[in-house]
């Protein structure tokens, strides 16, 4: 995994702009701690920071073709981030077509596949990726992003070309970019819906999942190469369960390939336990896969049952370790870790944008930082809930039938109430988040691929599945990518394999819940690998500290922000409401589900505006 940057300008000689490109490359140092490179052409500059995972010596980038134009210019060059899990099969196929390879890397396979099959070659790739190809034959830039948007790719159109990078900070390092947020940007931040292609910053966009952005002089087009489609599911339950098991074993086997130490992230839930068990089973001989979990000091001893978590995670993780025999380590955190200024600053810098969800950001960052001391690649159970229907809102009839995003229909307080609780009332009126969210919901509904003749509950559940995969999953994937890459660790997400997603998407909801529980198909497909307690365990979210000391510390941080009269974001807030909040006692039970939206939204906004010198135009 790596960080990529680039600049295309059809009216400037970029071979003279090494200093500017170097500044962009430098911002990706955490994503790629092992090596760096640049390739400068008159109208295109590609930059790269590398995290070495495959072919440690031979995969240096940017990579260019040995074939050249008459003037000696390489036909094409690539700056690539990601992993293509079927690269060995593609290399064999390309070799049969006469191609010769100088490395063992998947990067070279991707570049030569483009030369062989053209723009549409991306449909042959199985993996997670975001990469740029400059085709010198036609002076065209192509920016590709994987089907589900596992790997990020941002771009910023300019008068004569485009800037791009794996993270916004790469683009913001360029003097032609501007950090500006308008009402639309604030709506994006506060709505808790990820709109494909959109960012909070004016003029900055993401390449949408399953798309390629093509840039030539005077023309910029975005083309779709993949989307979910609906088709009849004809397999019975035993066949479906068997197919899922077969897919999972193939997916995990492919994603265990690395030339560096690899591990799994284990919470003790069904998803991570299933992946860990399959991974351990797939190792040869007496080899043991490393596994890591995160816990908080005193959590097990002082645990209090919550609506979404009936028991602490750690005992389940330990039982799985005993059952399958991994080489396991628990990363133990405390409140001082979670609120440490250097940790909160690192999390903020990893995001670049004011997204986040309470203590989950710091705890994930610290988990990845600890894991990186022993492993470079980790397998995660992320996205199983979106694919198999694990979240509570899949099983709450009110949420399913609501005329909005399902995750907005749970809880006593709406998302809007929580995210705007401390904003200035006039600003809240200007934002009109209810109308914005309704418009985004209508847009998302129009994208759902319905099956002919499908009605009633099945139709509604297809909508719910599509909304989760396209509007909620990106939130989870972005969090995992930013916080893992901030520590230079590559996290692979087997449940995002497009073959599995396509297959399960078309399974009727009655079959997805055939045993009366969430994620019935995944449970049945892996039950023989797991302890009975985990097979029967109810879905629980990623662990969060129950210590109310965290909430008191967050109040102190907020108090310091609003006490600074020169803070540039103060005009966004209702200072009376914040003062009332600061003087109210901490009620841990009520703050638990609201922590990310309610308590910390003003902190994230204020720190973002200050740290990035964001110009607020409202």
């Amino acid at each position: 995994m790596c960080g990529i940057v680039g600049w295309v300008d059809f009216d400037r000689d970029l071979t003279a702009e090494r200093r500017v490109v170097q500044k962009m490359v430098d911002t990706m140092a955490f994503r790629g701690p092992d090596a760096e490179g640049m390739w400068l052409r008159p109208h295109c500059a590609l930059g790269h920071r590398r995290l070495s995972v495959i072919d440690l010596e031979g995969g240096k980038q940017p990579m260019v073709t040995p074939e050249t134009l008459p003037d000696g210019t390489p036909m094409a060059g690539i700056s690539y981030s990601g992993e293509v899990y079927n690269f060995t099969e593609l290399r064999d196929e390309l070799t049969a077509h006469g191609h010769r390879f100088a490395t063992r890397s998947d990067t070279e396979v991707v570049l030569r596949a483009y030369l062989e099959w053209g723009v549409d070659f991306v449909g042959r790739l199985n993996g997670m990726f975001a990469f740029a190809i400059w085709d010198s034959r036609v002076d065209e830039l192509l920016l590709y992003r994987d089907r589900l948007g596992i790997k990020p790719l941002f771009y910023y159109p300019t008068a004569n070309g485009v800037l791009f990078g794996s993270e916004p900070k790469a683009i913001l390092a360029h003097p032609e970019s501007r950090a500006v947020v308008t009402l639309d940007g604030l709506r994006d931040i506060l709505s808790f819906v990820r709109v494909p292609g959109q960012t909070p910053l004016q003029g900055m966009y993401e390449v949408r999942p399953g798309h390629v952005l093509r840039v030539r002089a005077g023309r910029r087009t975005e083309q779709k190469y993949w989307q979910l489609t609906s088709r009849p599911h004809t397999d019975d339950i035993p066949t479906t369960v068997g197919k899922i098991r077969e897919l999972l074993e193939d997916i995990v086997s492919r994603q265990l390939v690395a030339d560096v130490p690899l591990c799994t992230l284990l919470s003790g839930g069904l998803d991570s336990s299933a992946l860990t068990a399959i991974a351990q089973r797939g190792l040869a001989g007496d080899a043991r896969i490393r596994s890591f979990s995160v816990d908080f000091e005193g959590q097990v001893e002082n645990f209090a049952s919550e609506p979404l978590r009936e028991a602490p995670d750690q005992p389940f993780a330990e039982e799985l370790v005993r059952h399958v025999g991994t080489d396991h380590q628990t990363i133990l955190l405390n409140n001082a870790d979670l609120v440490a200024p250097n940790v909160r600053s690192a999390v903020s810098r990893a995001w670049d944008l004011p997204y986040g969800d309470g203590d989950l950001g710091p705890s994930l960052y610290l988990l990845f930082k600890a894991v990186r001391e022993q492993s470079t690649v980790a397998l995660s159970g992320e996205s199983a809930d979106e694919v198999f229907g694990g979240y509570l809102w899949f099983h709450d009839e009110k949420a399913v039938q609501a005329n909005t995003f399902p995750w907005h229909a749970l809880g006593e307080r709406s998302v809007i109430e929580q995210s705007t609780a401390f904003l200035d009332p006039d600003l809240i009126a200007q934002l009109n988040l209810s109308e914005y969210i309704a418009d985004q919901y209508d847009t998302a509904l129009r994208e759902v691929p319905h099956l002919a003749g499908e009605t009633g509950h099945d139709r509604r559940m297809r909508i719910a599945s599509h909304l989760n995969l396209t509007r909620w999953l990106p939130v989870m994937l972005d969090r995992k990518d930013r916080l893992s890459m901030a520590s230079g660790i590559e996290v692979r997400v087997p449940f995002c394999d497009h073959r599995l997603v396509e297959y399960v998407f078309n399974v009727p909801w009655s079959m997805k819940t055939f045993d009366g529980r969430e994620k019935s198909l995944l449970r049945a497909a892996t039950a023989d690998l797991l302890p009975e307690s985990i097979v029967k365990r109810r879905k629980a979210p990623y662990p969060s500290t129950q210590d109310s000391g965290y909430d008191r510390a967050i109040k102190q941080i907020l108090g310091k922000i609003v006490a600074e009269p020169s803070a540039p974001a103060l005009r966004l807030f209702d200072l009376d409401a914040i003062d009332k909040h600061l003087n109210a006692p901490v009620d841990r039970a009520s703050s638990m589900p609201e922590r990310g939206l309610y308590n910390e939204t003003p902190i994230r906004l204020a720190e973002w505006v200050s740290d990035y010198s964001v110009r607020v135009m409202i």
Side-chain angles (χ1 to χ4, degrees), residues 477-495:
L477 294 176
D478 283 355
R479 181 179 72 183
K480 189 79 74 178
D481 173 84
R482 301 303 187 280
L483 298 176
S484 62
M485 294 306 294
S487 294
I489 184 169
E490 172 181 299
V491 175
R492 300 175 179 179
V493 279
F495 289 114

Side-chain angles (χ1 to χ4, degrees), residues 125-162:
L125 306 184
N126 177 311
M128 56 178 187
F129 48 80
F131 57 88
I133 291 177
W134 175 255
D135 191 327
S136 301
R137 298 169 298 184
V138 291
D139 275 2
E140 180 177 39
L141 175 74
L142 302 103
L143 298 178
Y144 289 93
R145 194 172 181 203
D146 64 65
R147 295 168 178 85
L148 291 173
I150 304 168
K151 303 315 297 179
L153 185 50
F154 295 84
Y155 69 96
Y156 187 99
T158 63
N160 303 305
V162 69

